[in-house]
């Protein structure tokens, strides 16, 4: 039994004792043509952002970056990724 579950016992008609707020995630994807030193260059460019996932698929030559939070300019993040040598066609949703 988890610590949260012990706060308030649940019954069939009782509401949950805690609410998990929905997270705001922005997913950036890009094609890559060069991988040598790529992760280091990405880490430098995305330093101030709350990066939750960074996935580089060598098989399909794609990069996936998930940034958590609201209030940042996703276009600016995409522009930062687009400046990195070896990263092409950055999009986000």
């Amino acid at each position: 039994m988890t610590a949260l579950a012990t706060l308030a016992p649940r019954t069939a008609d009782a509401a949950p004792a805690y609410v998990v707020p929905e997270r705001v995630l922005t997913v950036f994807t890009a094609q890559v043509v060069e991988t040598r030193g790529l992760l280091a260059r990405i880490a430098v460019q995305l330093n101030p952002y709350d990066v939750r996932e960074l996935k580089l698929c060598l098989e399909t030559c794609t990069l996936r970056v998930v940034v958590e939070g609201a209030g940042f300019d996703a276009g600016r993040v995409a522009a930062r990724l687009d400046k990195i040598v070896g990263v092409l066609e950055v999009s986000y949703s």
Side-chain angles (χ1 to χ4, degrees):
M1 189 174 263
T2 66
L4 290 175
T6 59
L7 291 177
R10 290 200 55 174
T11 61
D13 50 323
Y18 54 92
V19 177
V20 177
E22 188 164 328
R23 297 177 1 186
V24 177
L25 300 175
T26 304
V27 178
F28 298 86
T29 56
Q31 293 295 314
V32 295
V33 293
E34 179 187 334
T35 58
R36 188 174 188 183
L38 182 65
L39 295 179
R41 293 191 301 265
I42 291 169
V44 168
Q45 290 296 322
L46 298 180
N47 185 18
Y49 299 102
D50 190 7
V51 177
R52 292 300 175 165
E53 180 181 337
L54 182 60
K55 186 184 295 185
L56 177 61
C57 180
L58 299 177
E59 196 171 287
T60 60
C61 295
T62 56
L63 170 70
R64 175 183 161 94
V65 179
V66 178
V67 178
E68 184 174 359
F72 69 91
D73 184 0
R76 179 175 280 175
V77 174
R80 283 181 173 215
L81 287 172
D82 198 38
K83 287 181 183 180
I84 298 171
V85 173
V87 175
L88 307 172
E89 302 176 21
V90 178
S91 63
Y92 60 91
S93 58

